[in-house]
Amino acid sequence: MTTPSSTSSGTTPTVGPSGSPSETPSATPSGTPSATPSVAPSPTPTAKPTKPAKPRPPAAYAKQVEAKLDALGYPVGDVDGDITKRAQQALCAWRETHGMPISRGGLTMADVRSVLRANRKPVATKEPGIYVNKTCQVLYQVVGTTYKRIVWVSTGAPGYDTPNRTGKVWRKWAGAHESSLYDDAYMYDSIYFLKDRPGIALHGSRVNTLIKTYPASHRCVRVMRPQIHEIFGETAIGTKVQVYGKY
């Protein structure tokens, strides 16, 4: 019997134990893909959401505000970031001259924004004269349309209240003189503006420590020296002087 050398299927026949031919594949079938091990994708790390920065409190801007107020002519005392009662007087004056609610309260974010955005004093809305605000315990000297000076004052203490009125300068007394009512109470560069009995004046005191942050005089308006000396020289008889507000 003749043994075929090849078959049409491409396999080589072999004879099994029973004598029946069996086929052994000579190659891997071309249609079956080889298995490739799968790699699990590594998880993409999720970035933690960034927390919004906490807003800075007004106190964080205190030193900047003090420096700006002082540079613009609103006296604050020491520029050290401590909002003292003197600094509160300056803030009170700033609020008034910028149309904000007038108070001697502490620093607010509204103050911070208003002060730090400013680059000059505001134009005065008051006519020329001298204005004493009892709420802030400050004096404004208005010349033309400018606030020439903003000065700390101390008005009348309880029982000796400085009246809220408008007067005119009717007398000036240069240098020092002793009060006609109180022994050893000296007045400097007095500018009398109300003809009450006794007359009520703006004046300097023997020491600036008598100009408190609160009402402390006997009806007159105590003014810081040497500012009162400068105001005295620049204020003519007949100049308007107005006292207003409440401490």
Side-chain angles (χ1 to χ4, degrees):
M1 181 173 66
T2 302
T3 302
S5 58
S6 63
T7 66
S8 59
S9 62
T11 59
T12 303
T14 57
V15 178
S18 61
S20 300
S22 63
E23 293 184 353
T24 302
S26 59
T28 302
S30 60
T32 305
S34 59
T36 302
S38 61
V39 179
S42 59
T44 303
T46 303
K48 292 182 179 180
T50 56
K51 294 181 179 179
K54 290 183 179 179
R56 297 175 69 191
Y61 301 91
K63 192 171 183 179
Q64 290 174 266
V65 169
E66 285 182 328
K68 193 68 170 287
L69 286 171
D70 200 62
L72 292 174
Y74 295 76
V76 299
D78 295 329
V79 179
D80 56 6
D82 183 14
I83 303 297
T84 62
K85 290 188 181 298
R86 288 299 189 199
Q88 288 175 358
Q89 284 178 265
L91 283 170
C92 186
W94 180 271
R95 291 163 184 153
E96 179 181 15
T97 56
H98 287 76
M100 301 165 72
I102 302 171
S103 79
R104 297 183 311 278
L107 184 64
T108 68
M109 281 309 300
D111 299 324
V112 171
R113 288 189 291 268
S114 177
V115 174
L116 296 187
R117 289 173 182 170
N119 54 23
R120 62 182 179 180
K121 282 184 181 178
V123 173
T125 56
K126 304 176 185 292
E127 64 181 3
I130 294 173
Y131 298 84
V132 176
N133 182 328
K134 293 196 298 188
T135 304
C136 302
Q137 293 290 290
V138 297
L139 174 153
Y140 306 105
Q141 181 188 10
V142 177
V143 176
T145 58
T146 65
Y147 292 101
K148 185 167 186 178
R149 288 186 180 84
I150 299 173
V151 184
W152 297 327
V153 300
S154 191
T155 58
Y160 301 93
D161 189 43
T162 307
N164 285 3
R165 286 211 309 249
T166 299
K168 290 186 177 181
V169 175
W170 61 274
R171 183 185 186 189
K172 296 171 65 176
W173 192 330
H177 70 278
E178 189 174 5
S179 167
S180 60
L181 294 177
Y182 305 100
D183 292 339
D184 203 31
Y186 283 85
M187 304 164 65
Y188 291 77
D189 294 323
S190 302
I191 304 172
Y192 288 87
F193 63 94
L194 290 179
K195 294 184 178 181
D196 295 49
R197 296 288 182 184
I200 297 178
L202 309 164
H203 66 80
S205 296
R206 185 169 51 192
V207 289
N208 275 341
T209 52
L210 291 173
I211 291 79
K212 307 296 186 182
T213 59
Y214 51 85
S217 80
H218 296 94
R219 299 197 82 199
C220 285
V221 179
R222 296 175 183 170
V223 186
M224 286 285 185
R225 296 168 61 192
Q227 288 93 336
I228 186 60
H229 182 69
E230 296 167 338
I231 294 169
F232 182 93
E234 297 165 355
T235 301
I237 297 292
T239 298
K240 175 182 178 179
V241 179
Q242 184 178 55
V243 179
Y244 60 96
K246 182 180 180 181
Y247 186 80

